[in-house]
Amino acid sequence: MNSNLDQYYERVKELRALLNKANYSYYVLDAPEIDDAIYDQLYRELIEIENIHPSLITDDSPSQRLGGIPSKGFKNVTHNIPLLSLDNAFNLNELEAWYARVRKLINSENKSIKEVNNPELICELKIDGNAVAIRYENGILTKAATRGDGKTGEDITNNIRTISTIPLRLLLKNPPTWMEIRGEAFMPNNIFKKLNLERKNTDQPLFANPRNSCAGTLRQLDPKIVASRKLDFFAYSLYLPEDWEPTDSNFKKPNSQSKSLEFLKNIGFKVNITYETKKNLNEANSYYKYWGIEKDSLAYATDGIVVKIDNFEIQNLLGATNKAPRWAIAVKYPAEEKPTKLKKLIFQVGRSGAVTPVAEFDSIELAGTSVNRATLHNAKRLASLDLHYEDTIIVRKAGEIIPEVIRVIKEFRTVDSQLVEFPQNCPSCDSKLIQEENEAITKCINFECPAKLKGRLRHWVSKGSMNIDGLGEKIINQLVNEGYVKSIADLYKLEIDSLLELERFGEKSANNLLIEINESKNKNWHKQLYGLGIPHIGEANAKSLSKNFHSIEELNAIAKDAPENISNIYGFGNEMKDAIIKWFDDSKNQTLIRELKEVGFSLKESLDLNDNLNQSNIFDGKIFVLTGTLDSLTRDKAKEFIEIAGGKVSSSISKKTDFLVSGEKAGSKLKKAQELGVKIINENELKLLLSEKTKFKNE
């Protein structure tokens, strides 16, 4: 190593250790040790050194979390240790039968173990995700693979690196030459809901459940997309060399599953803390019943429990079949299914023209919510159900977010019932529907279709876009049906006389709506961009685009002449880039841009914000929470100012919060902020901070 590298080597080593320890404390222990601002500063220093001296980059560097460039495909990986599945039990009687078999095997095969009549058990929740095998060599993550067929899986190392709860380097002073970790990658429920909302807003097919979305994410070729979806991971088993013993006095080689979970947590992994050791089967039954009631309160999906023999020596004695270990069994919760009567089937047309069959049925209670509608996704799914009008259908929502029709009870079908067929023509405009090759979606391609126009208008006035209060679905339907609005730009040409002809409009409400519509012209650039409804571009992606391209003209030119600059943005892949190119290539969208400019839209960075504020990032790294009613600023506007100044707005108070902006009728957040010692400011003080930039930066 030359003298130039010598001065950086020790510092890089120190930075890696500090950042990896901070990640462990934050993501695994949920007990942050350093402020975000300090973490960011250390991370930037590491990146700067690694950019200057790439030879110092190592596999365990936090900079390698993104996993590099997109893969061209997944290679097959042979599992050194087979990744077996679990046998299933579907009720407590089957669990009891398994336990009886286990005890019989122990006592018949026992050669060295003292006779055990009631081997101790450990119960864990069965996480509804995707099994992953991770290999470490000398403490460094080197390979990760899917289950596949148990013998051969797919190499997803780059994608696994993006999951913050998986350490890149183990917290062991003398790691073994190799170690294999097994666990479950999963998508938390709140992330799943957010992802599906974004897909709905960009007219993409919805994921059926968190497990499905996790599987799709792990098979993304671009690790940046995987990172943006914030997957999580619970480790549940490990394999070590037989001759390895830890030299660190804080560690002991585990001899049971319960001690194994403790070991995993201590070396850097997140484990599911709901596990419990049980002395007998009755206690295991109680665990099963308890979580059968409480599972819906969890932040992730679970479809059962796993019961294991805790002692490793007994596990080894019992061994495994070709498919599953004899010492463990998954006890599934029954899927919550209920019958109901199909009332009608409607075919919804989205703003992109995608036609979706939706079943409407008599209301039923599923997983704590009232359900009376369920999507059937597409024409293929509808055909497979063989659905007839007035059929009795079975609907389920087993730990999933979206209700689904799973089957029809044909025995209850009347003789003269008619088959529900997918329409050949658009139910809104009667245009011929098409199904593009290799796509499951059936589409209406008529740009002027009233249903598509209504969808575009609903998106334009939504909270994430123009947020036009008072312009709901019923009014949009009237405006389109009466012919007053034939494009988004027509909203800004409305006159009071037209509104007064609509239902429930008086002069005051009509004037208020026109004011709201007119004021929406001043919305920030990223909200205007999101409102345009470019496929695959949700709110977060629109913000990223707006920070990189400051006007519609600039984005248009980039899409035409240098589209690679789009896919270079963090979180963007070829699918998004291609969608943007295609959108700008459409002459009707160019007409929309021209019409919006004619009615007063800038379609560029907002001019009403101080230019110095845009450039200063005075709130860089600061976290704000808003509560109560502000006098002159709306919540959205206050959030907009804070974010443009580099800050973040959170919905909940914690020790990490820097400022609580408190207005009238502030609620529990104010009390919690006082208890935590968070700095509390009012609206005027927020404005003062925004204007006194130098003072703020020196505080």
Side-chain angles (χ1 to χ4, degrees), residues 504-557:
R504 300 179 181 178
F505 264 106
E507 190 165 339
K508 183 177 180 180
S509 58
N511 271 318
N512 287 340
L513 179 56
L514 289 176
I515 291 171
E516 283 276 341
I517 291 172
N518 190 56
E519 288 182 349
S520 71
K521 295 176 185 177
N522 299 319
K523 292 292 181 182
N524 193 262
W525 160 225
H526 73 81
K527 288 183 175 289
Q528 297 178 38
L529 179 56
Y530 173 64
L532 294 175
I534 302 173
H536 308 309
I537 304 301
E539 289 184 61
N541 295 327
K543 281 186 180 180
S544 297
L545 282 173
S546 69
K547 289 178 181 178
N548 286 273
F549 312 113
H550 304 302
S551 69
I552 197 73
E553 288 83 9
E554 185 178 350
L555 182 56
N556 192 0

Side-chain angles (χ1 to χ4, degrees), residues 225-253:
I225 295 177
V226 183
S228 71
R229 293 186 180 176
K230 295 180 173 58
L231 295 182
D232 209 335
F233 182 83
F234 284 133
Y236 54 64
S237 66
L238 80 158
Y239 296 88
L240 297 163
E242 289 185 11
D243 59 352
W244 177 79
E245 289 290 341
T247 57
D248 189 333
S249 60
N250 294 323
F251 291 94
K252 288 186 178 180
K253 194 172 182 179

Side-chain angles (χ1 to χ4, degrees), residues 65 76-77 100 109 113 122 133 135 151 225 241 257 381 384-385 387 458 461 481 484 515 543 607:
R65 281 268 178 215
N76 286 339
V77 174
E109 298 291 332
I113 304 172
I122 181 170
R135 186 175 179 85
K151 297 179 181 178
I225 295 177
Q257 173 64 9
R381 176 61 179 153
S384 68
L385 283 169
L387 193 62
R458 286 194 299 270
V461 306
N481 293 342
Y484 295 134
I515 291 171
K543 281 186 180 180
L607 298 177

Side-chain angles (χ1 to χ4, degrees), residues 137-139 169-179 240-241 243-252 263 267:
E137 295 180 358
N138 299 311
R169 173 188 282 274
L170 300 176
L171 301 178
L172 269 174
K173 291 181 180 178
N174 70 320
T177 55
W178 65 267
M179 181 187 297
L240 297 163
D243 59 352
W244 177 79
E245 289 290 341
T247 57
D248 189 333
S249 60
N250 294 323
F251 291 94
K252 288 186 178 180
F263 185 89
I267 64 173

Side-chain angles (χ1 to χ4, degrees), residues 37-178:
I38 296 175
Y39 181 95
D40 292 342
Q41 183 179 344
L42 295 173
Y43 186 79
R44 283 195 294 268
E45 183 183 351
L46 176 66
I47 295 298
E48 287 172 3
I49 296 174
E50 289 183 344
N51 284 339
I52 297 171
H53 300 288
S55 63
L56 296 179
I57 299 174
T58 58
D59 286 341
D60 65 323
S61 172
S63 66
Q64 300 305 294
R65 281 268 178 215
L66 286 185
I69 62 174
S71 304
K72 293 182 179 179
F74 295 105
K75 297 178 181 178
N76 286 339
V77 174
T78 300
H79 294 299
N80 295 318
I81 302 165
L83 211 171
L84 302 177
S85 300
L86 292 175
D87 285 332
N88 291 321
F90 294 94
N91 53 57
L92 293 179
N93 289 335
E94 293 182 5
L95 173 61
E96 186 175 349
W98 166 81
Y99 192 56
R101 290 195 303 273
V102 163
R103 290 194 297 174
K104 185 177 180 180
L105 277 169
I106 292 173
N107 291 317
S108 64
E109 298 291 332
N110 185 7
K111 298 292 188 295
S112 59
I113 304 172
K114 187 177 179 180
E115 185 172 341
V116 179
N117 289 321
N118 292 294
E120 192 164 89
L121 304 169
I122 181 170
C123 297
E124 305 169 38
L125 289 181
K126 185 178 182 298
I127 309 304
D128 200 10
N130 300 95
V132 176
I134 308 174
R135 186 175 179 85
Y136 288 80
E137 295 180 358
N138 299 311
I140 305 295
L141 191 159
T142 58
K143 190 76 69 179
T146 61
R147 180 194 301 279
D149 62 5
K151 297 179 181 178
T152 304
E154 290 182 315
D155 186 342
I156 54 169
T157 308
N158 282 349
N159 290 347
I160 287 299
R161 285 180 177 277
T162 69
I163 301 177
S164 299
T165 45
I166 296 177
L168 301 178
R169 173 188 282 274
L170 300 176
L171 301 178
L172 269 174
K173 291 181 180 178
N174 70 320
T177 55
W178 65 267

Side-chain angles (χ1 to χ4, degrees), residues 607-619:
L607 298 177
D608 65 342
L609 297 175
N610 189 296
D611 287 339
N612 293 327
L613 177 61
N614 277 317
Q615 298 170 9
S616 63
N617 286 331
I618 56 172
F619 289 165

